[in-house]
Each structure stands twice: as C-alpha cells, then as structure tokens.
Amino acid sequence: MTQRQIRLDVVGVRIEVPSHQPVVMLRGAEPGTEDLHVAIMVGTSEATAISMGMDGQTPPRPMTHDLLVEALSTLAEGVESIEIGLLDSSTYFGTVRLRRGQVLDSRASDAIAVAVRTGSPITMAESTLRAVAVTPRYRTAEGGEAQGAAGGPQRPASPMGTSPEASDVAKRGPISADEIKEFQKFLDGAEPEDFGKSNS
C-alpha cells in the first residue's frame, strides 16, 4: 500500500555552530503540517547549490546541478517530482521522478538542489515526516512557551526512528520563525565561501 506523500517547502540552509555543518531545513506545506520541520545535513557544495537555486542565481558557466537539470529537461521532458525518504536511522535519500516515467535514485541534497531549480514539488511519506520532524517553539512576551502556529500542542521529537540530525536540532531547541527570518537575511547576501568547510 502506497503511503500518503506530504508536500514540503524548502525553508533554507542554515549553518550549525560550532561545527559549521550546513543543514537544509524543510517544512510541511499542507494544512496541519506547517509546524513540522525536517533538518538534513548536507555537504558544503550541495548547500551552496541549494542556496543558489533558491535565489535564482545563474552562474557564468553551468554548475553540476544546472547541467543535470538541462540534461533531464532535454532527454526526459524534465522533472515531475522529488521524494525524500529515510534510508536508515541517520541517512536520507532522494527519488527523482521524471515526466517520462523514469525514476532516479539520488542523494537527498542533490534531489533538493534539482527541485529548487525546476520548481518541482518535494514530498515525504507522512509516516516518515512525523517520525523525524521537530516542531518549533515560540516564546511569549512573558517568557513562556506558546503553542505552534497550527494551534496544537507542542510535539516532541519522536525517539523511535528519529534521525540524529533531527534529534540534535530538538535538543538545542528547534528553530523559531524569527530564527528562520534572520537566517534568510544571511542567505540573501551569502557567497559560496561564507559556508566554510564541512567537518563531515
């Protein structure tokens, strides 16, 4: 039985401190899933590729993901959708579905880099999303914690099946809407060298 797929939006790329590890943040885009965030650790070059794709930057010469998108458009009529799945407890993978019906296996980071260049929908199986996602907490003016934007109770990260990336984000306190906005400001003026080197 095919699992229901939930549409995700790419929030952006953030840098974890002190490791300087780039992390792609995804968020549920369907009603009732807007508070579910997924953190996927990626390499420096993939983080740069995703950021450039989100910003619509066109390099003087095609980068690898630009070339891949051009090849898929020419040879397979383009990309229909991207699915992100969990290979094991700590590794995500991507599935690139082409308009002609072919399915390509991919790293999650490469699939996301293709998606932001083509405008293709990104999805994740609902059961996987609810297992790995974390919910941001919002601070009230009195210093207490308010509920998520959907109005429901705060949902702790699930210990069963949760990736180390998501658990790590949860322990430090999931990102808030203000943190997302602040990081988006950084991305607007970021250069490839701003991402530093990955320790992974």
Side-chain angles (χ1 to χ4, degrees), residues 42-112:
V42 299
T44 302
S45 60
E46 290 79 12
T48 302
I50 292 170
S51 294
M52 290 181 69
M54 291 183 70
D55 291 341
Q57 296 181 33
T58 303
R61 299 294 298 158
M63 295 177 64
T64 302
H65 296 96
D66 301 311
L67 175 62
L68 176 58
V69 167
E70 182 65 24
L72 294 177
S73 297
T74 302
L75 303 175
E77 299 179 4
V79 177
E80 181 176 286
S81 64
I82 300 293
E83 294 176 17
I84 303 298
L86 201 58
L87 188 62
D88 55 39
S89 61
S90 62
T91 307
Y92 291 92
F93 69 92
T95 300
V96 181
R97 296 190 178 279
L98 305 179
R99 295 190 187 282
R100 284 188 176 176
Q102 300 98 323
V103 177
L104 305 177
D105 188 26
S106 166
R107 295 186 304 173
S109 56
D110 290 330
I112 294 169

Side-chain angles (χ1 to χ4, degrees), residues 122-135:
I122 301 173
T123 66
M124 179 178 281
E126 183 174 17
S127 60
T128 302
L129 175 61
R130 295 193 180 280
V132 302
V134 293
T135 304

Side-chain angles (χ1 to χ4, degrees), residues 21 40 71 132 140 145 165:
Q21 173 70 55
I40 301 178
V132 302
T140 65
E145 288 185 2
E165 296 90 342

Side-chain angles (χ1 to χ4, degrees), residues 16-38:
E16 293 298 293
V17 177
S19 68
H20 298 292
Q21 173 70 55
V23 177
V24 177
M25 299 302 301
L26 305 174
R27 176 177 58 204
E30 298 182 14
T33 67
E34 302 94 334
D35 282 349
L36 301 180
H37 289 67
V38 179

Side-chain angles (χ1 to χ4, degrees), residues 145-195:
E145 288 185 2
Q147 294 179 336
Q154 290 301 307
R155 175 187 169 280
S158 171
M160 293 300 293
T162 300
S163 69
E165 296 90 342
S167 297
D168 191 42
V169 170
K171 279 188 252 180
R172 287 194 304 278
I175 61 173
S176 68
D178 289 339
E179 288 177 304
I180 291 172
K181 289 178 183 176
E182 188 63 31
F183 191 73
Q184 189 61 50
K185 290 180 185 177
F186 163 75
L187 289 177
D188 289 341
E191 298 293 337
E193 55 269 20
D194 293 332
F195 289 99

